[in-house]
Amino acid sequence: MAAPPPLPPPYTSTSPPPTPLFTGAESHIYQSTHLLPTRPCILKHRPPKPYRHPTLDARLTRHRLLAEARALLKARAARVPVPALYALDVPNALLVLEYLPHPTARAVLCSLQEQEGQEGGEQVMRDVGRVVGRLHGAGIVHGDLTTSNLLVEREPGRAGKVWVLDFGLAVQSCGEEERAVDLYGLERAVGAMHPRVGLEALLEGYLEGVGGGEGEAVLKRLRGVRARGRKRSMLG
C-alpha cells in the first residue's frame, strides 16, 4: 500500500508525530494529539485529487468537508453518539476529531459469534439499529453504514453504547427512500461480513430509535428497496 501524502503543517509538529491508521478513497486517517500531549485525537485529511481539475477539486473538497462537519454537529446536538469535532481546517481540508478507544462493531460481532454463536450478536445489532434510528430521526442519512464505521462501548452488566463514525457521505434528509437505502446498505454489509447474525434485532432496534410511525414507513419502503436490489442481482 502506498504511503499517504504528508500532512500539512502544523499537524506534523506533534511529539510523537501523527500515526497513519487508515487510507481510504477520499481521505487519510491519523492518530495524533490535540492541544495537549495527553489528549489523543483523530486527524481526517482530504488530500487533493490529481485527476480532478484543481478548481473543481477545491470546491468539492470544501463542500464535503463542511457537509461532514455540519452532520457531526447536528448529530451531536441530537445526542447521537458521534465523535466530538475539535477543529475544522477548511484551507487544509482537515477535520480534528475526538479519539474513541473502542472496538468496531465488526470486531465485537466476530468475537461474540465465536464465543456464543448467533445469539451473541443480537444485542449488539439491536443497539446498532437503535442508534441508526436516532440518527435518521435527527434528519441525517449516513450514506456508508458498515460495521467498520460503528464502535461499540461495552461495560459488564450494562447495555452497549454504539458510536457512529465517518460522515463523509452523509446528507441531511428525512426522506423515507433515503433512509431505506441507508438501512439496506447496512443490511448488505452485515450479511456479507456476519452471515450468522440475524437482522430482526437490527430492525427492532431501529423502530425503537426512530419512533413507531416513521419507522414503520421506512421499513415498508425498505421492502421495495430490497426487491429492487434482488432484481439487479439477478440481472447482473
Side-chain angles (χ1 to χ4, degrees):
M1 182 177 65
L7 283 167
Y11 302 102
T12 54
S13 60
T14 58
S15 180
T19 303
L21 297 181
F22 177 76
T23 297
E26 293 291 327
S27 61
H28 302 287
I29 309 298
Y30 303 79
Q31 184 177 341
S32 186
T33 56
H34 180 60
L35 298 181
L36 297 171
T38 56
R39 189 185 197 189
C41 73
I42 291 294
L43 305 178
K44 183 174 183 179
H45 180 224
R46 287 179 174 269
K49 300 292 183 291
Y51 55 84
R52 285 200 293 240
H53 188 279
T55 301
L56 175 62
D57 183 60
R59 288 178 179 174
L60 285 174
T61 299
R62 175 185 171 85
H63 171 75
R64 290 173 180 172
L65 196 72
L66 292 174
E68 182 168 5
R70 292 188 185 108
L72 281 165
L73 293 174
K74 186 174 183 180
R76 198 166 178 86
R79 299 187 180 276
V80 178
V82 299
L85 177 62
Y86 290 157
L88 168 62
D89 184 347
V90 175
N92 286 314
L94 194 142
L95 295 173
V96 184
L97 302 165
E98 177 184 11
Y99 172 74
L100 298 168
H102 310 303
T104 64
R106 175 179 177 176
V108 171
L109 286 169
C110 289
S111 176
L112 286 173
Q113 283 184 294
E114 290 178 2
Q115 299 170 16
E116 306 173 32
Q118 180 174 342
E119 295 77 13
E122 286 189 1
Q123 184 58 53
V124 174
M125 292 311 301
R126 185 171 284 104
D127 294 335
V128 166
R130 190 178 298 114
V131 79
V132 173
R134 290 173 59 189
L135 188 69
H136 285 181
I140 301 168
V141 172
H142 186 275
D144 189 24
L145 287 171
T146 70
T147 51
S148 296
N149 283 337
L150 301 163
L151 302 183
V152 180
E153 180 181 358
R154 306 183 80 208
E155 295 182 19
R158 296 180 59 184
K161 181 178 182 181
V162 177
W163 298 76
V164 188
L165 307 180
D166 193 0
F167 284 75
L169 297 177
V171 295
Q172 298 192 36
S173 171
C174 293
E176 293 170 4
E177 178 74 13
E178 290 83 356
R179 292 175 174 181
V181 170
D182 213 25
L183 264 181
Y184 179 65
L186 178 58
E187 279 191 340
R188 286 179 61 88
V190 172
M193 292 302 306
H194 316 281
R196 291 188 296 160
V197 173
L199 296 174
E200 294 82 4
L202 171 70
L203 301 182
E204 290 170 4
Y206 182 81
L207 289 175
E208 294 174 18
V210 76
E214 284 186 72
E216 292 291 353
V218 173
L219 296 191
K220 181 179 180 181
R221 186 64 65 95
L222 174 62
R223 290 191 284 272
V225 173
R226 286 173 181 156
R228 296 200 302 270
R230 285 194 295 269
K231 184 176 180 180
R232 281 196 296 268
S233 298
M234 290 173 62
L235 295 175

